[in-house]
Amino acid sequence: MAQRPNIVLMNCDDLGYGDLGCYGSAVNRTPTLDDMAKHGIRFTDFYMASPVCSPSRGGMLTGCYPPRIGFGTFEGEWVLFPGQGVGLNSSEVTIAEILRDAGYRTKIVGKWHCGDQEEFLPLNHGFDEYFGLPYSNDMGRQKTSRLNIPLPLIDGAEVIEEQPDQRSLTERYVEQATRFIRQNKENPFFLYFAHMHVHLPLYTSEEFVKNSQNGDYGACVECIDWAARAVLHELKKQGLEENTLFIFTSDNGGRGDHGGSNRPLRGKKGTTWEGGQRVPCIMYWPNHIREGAEVHDLVTSMDFLPTFAKLCGGKVDPDRKIDGMDFSEMLFSDTASPRNEFFYYIREALEAVRVGDWKLHTSKDGEAVKLLYNLRKDPGETNNLYDEYPEIVAKLEARLEYCRHDLGDTVTGTAGENVRPIGRVENPKPLAEYNEDHPYIVMMYDSEDIG
């Protein structure tokens, strides 16, 4: 490569495996993403490190299973909530830090959700710029919400608006992304575009709602596709399309309601069935990576960190234990993935493992189970083969035992030998507090949908 590539990582919130046209949707129109898949690489067996957002995002940014970085649970919560005194430890090394050290300009636009105290925010984890929400878009003042804290919109480290109109947020995010691309067209950059869509509540502009074939959900999916088209348009305008690796994915599986779909997978967000953690992933880099390829090998978001480092001239500390693997060769040739196994955690409970085409479940919600599936033949996990292949069960159980000792497992009461602590601060406080005299543009969001 004559130049190191720019990296654009577009990460959605709760987008299901079956929500894009190129992954089987007949109700959501996604022409931009479908075209990226047609002229790039579409991964069929791509996994996020967790089926819920905070651990998923922390795992992706650090290249680690969430329990390794203390992101299994958050003072008993599944995800981080406003004002908690825990978050991503300052000693952890993120993709942004590695690329910034390699000379890249770095920016996150959108959802962070790795801690809202100053020590945990993006500017202290390798990002030069930040514009977005520090956590999920249902964590503001809203009907049915347990929170009475205004939703803060942040620029850098400053709250610039409370209770923003969510219908216009994606357009504002695109504006930020466009400006960042223009300002850095002469030097390499890393843009992490983290959508609020399609997390509940579903808000987007009237134009998408009016033309949707799938209600508000389809409108939000089509808004995502528009955002991808707008970013691509700017890259082309600046002559950067052929020097930018554009990755599109989702932080975990979809809820499977409100019009969303994980078909043909079983399960949903918050579960270790395939529908909870196997998500769409498209990579587009014209005239560089394979065109029109469909990859069935096992790849994960944790693999981004070493892969980006290899492509961009970054350095990964060999003495720091991570779980990501460099899959950069797969982008250019029909090479097998370096990864052959994946462990499925829900919080700090190890529930399943995949090795090759086989997946073994040994626990579900604290109860022991005996479930074995061949995912190549049965991605919907419907045909239990546990009793038919005892030798495969034994092999996979041995890998689970290895993982328990490495990362821990609350199901068996095993402490992990190679885990690091979550970050902590004293006297935490929320970024915003409700004031009845404040001129909020939206005093309270009118949707009752949360989650």
Side-chain angles (χ1 to χ4, degrees):
M1 292 177 290
Q3 286 181 274
R4 298 176 296 168
N6 305 309
I7 303 286
V8 174
L9 173 57
M10 185 170 281
N11 189 28
C12 298
D13 199 342
D14 294 357
L15 186 75
Y17 189 85
D19 280 335
L20 305 180
C22 56
Y23 281 85
S25 177
V27 293
N28 302 321
R29 290 167 296 195
T30 55
T32 305
L33 296 167
D34 297 347
D35 191 68
M36 287 171 60
K38 180 180 178 181
H39 295 286
I41 301 175
R42 186 179 78 95
F43 291 82
T44 63
D45 293 57
F46 179 86
Y47 292 86
M48 280 288 170
S50 171
V52 291
C53 47
S54 290
S56 166
R57 291 160 192 270
M60 180 178 69
L61 287 167
T62 62
C64 295
Y65 283 106
R68 191 175 305 287
I69 60 171
F71 261 43
T73 58
F74 306 91
E75 299 176 320
E77 301 284 0
W78 286 53
V79 299
L80 284 157
F81 275 80
Q84 282 192 276
V86 292
L88 188 60
N89 198 308
S90 59
S91 66
E92 295 296 339
V93 179
T94 68
I95 294 171
E97 288 176 275
I98 288 175
L99 296 188
R100 188 169 68 177
D101 288 347
Y104 278 60
R105 188 75 180 173
T106 59
K107 178 162 186 161
I108 171 175
V109 175
K111 178 178 174 179
W112 172 241
H113 218 173
C114 289
D116 69 352
Q117 303 302 293
E118 183 178 358
E119 179 178 319
F120 308 137
L121 288 171
L123 298 191
N124 289 313
H125 282 290
F127 288 97
D128 297 308
E129 301 177 34
Y130 172 40
F131 183 91
L133 303 177
Y135 31 70
S136 298
N137 64 319
D138 65 342
M139 292 183 174
R141 297 193 70 247
Q142 179 183 330
K143 290 183 179 180
T144 72
S145 175
R146 75 187 199 190
L147 302 170
N148 193 37
I149 298 171
L151 186 68
L153 180 64
I154 298 177
D155 187 355
E158 179 184 4
V159 176
I160 60 167
E161 187 177 356
E162 298 176 12
Q163 293 289 109
D165 184 348
Q166 295 190 29
R167 294 171 297 180
S168 64
L169 268 182
T170 300
E171 188 173 3
R172 296 173 75 176
Y173 289 170
V174 167
E175 178 186 345
Q176 289 284 325
T178 298
R179 182 181 294 118
F180 179 72
I181 291 168
R182 291 177 184 176
Q183 291 173 343
N184 293 281
K185 61 184 179 181
E186 302 297 336
N187 54 267
F189 61 79
F190 170 50
L191 172 61
Y192 174 30
F193 193 134
H195 280 285
M196 70 174 186
H197 296 319
V198 285
H199 195 285
L200 300 180
L202 300 170
Y203 289 107
T204 191
S205 66
E206 182 181 353
E207 190 67 20
F208 294 112
V209 175
K210 182 173 60 177
N211 294 314
S212 173
Q213 299 174 334
N214 189 27
D216 287 348
Y217 193 93
C220 290
V221 174
E222 292 176 27
C223 183
I224 289 169
D225 189 81
W226 167 79
R229 181 160 60 94
V231 171
L232 280 174
H233 176 80
E234 189 61 33
L235 291 171
K236 292 177 183 178
K237 181 179 178 181
Q238 300 301 332
L240 298 173
E241 182 184 23
E242 293 189 8
N243 197 44
T244 302
L245 173 59
F246 194 137
I247 305 102
F248 178 90
T249 190
S250 176
D251 67 343
N252 44 249
R255 291 170 51 95
D257 58 11
H258 291 76
S261 172
N262 293 311
R263 286 190 296 268
L265 307 179
R266 179 176 179 178
K268 60 183 181 178
K269 170 185 179 178
T271 75
T272 54
W273 300 108
E274 289 296 283
Q277 291 181 254
R278 198 197 295 200
V279 296
C281 182
I282 299 165
M283 297 194 182
Y284 176 76
W285 186 9
N287 296 324
H288 287 277
I289 63 174
R290 291 188 285 161
E291 181 174 340
E294 186 172 276
V295 173
H296 302 290
D297 284 12
L298 180 57
V299 180
T300 80
S301 63
M302 297 178 290
D303 304 325
F304 286 160
L305 185 146
T307 301
F308 293 175
K310 178 66 176 295
L311 294 171
C312 302
K315 295 181 180 179
V316 179
D317 183 356
D319 296 324
R320 186 173 191 80
K321 192 171 181 63
I322 65 170
D323 302 292
M325 299 179 180
D326 171 20
F327 67 93
S328 58
E329 290 187 15
M330 296 176 65
L331 302 181
F332 307 103
S333 63
D334 187 12
T335 304
S337 172
R339 178 179 295 281
N340 192 48
E341 69 180 12
F342 178 71
F343 298 103
Y344 300 73
Y345 272 92
I346 184 71
R347 298 196 282 184
E348 291 160 332
L350 178 60
E351 292 196 342
V353 60
R354 175 176 177 174
V355 178
D357 291 340
W358 294 95
K359 181 178 179 182
L360 175 69
H361 298 259
T362 58
S363 175
K364 279 282 170 287
D365 301 320
E367 300 293 327
V369 296
K370 297 180 178 180
L371 304 171
L372 178 71
Y373 301 103
N374 185 312
L375 295 178
R376 189 65 57 214
K377 299 177 180 178
D378 180 24
E381 298 174 280
T382 60
N383 185 21
N384 183 13
L385 302 173
Y386 186 92
D387 293 330
E388 297 179 37
Y389 295 94
E391 70 284 358
I392 292 176
V393 169
K395 176 183 176 181
L396 270 61
E397 284 183 336
R399 297 310 299 159
L400 285 170
E401 189 63 18
Y402 159 81
C403 183
R404 289 186 185 105
H405 289 286
D406 184 27
L407 294 172
D409 177 22
T410 54
V411 176
T412 59
T414 307
E417 298 172 357
N418 297 297
V419 297
R420 302 188 287 268
I422 195 170
R424 294 185 181 275
V425 298
E426 295 182 0
N427 305 313
K429 62 180 182 179
L431 289 167
E433 295 183 358
Y434 175 63
N435 178 354
E436 62 181 9
D437 295 324
H438 190 288
Y440 303 109
I441 190 168
V442 181
M443 182 67 74
M444 180 177 286
Y445 299 119
D446 58 11
S447 174
E448 296 183 357
D449 296 328
I450 60 174

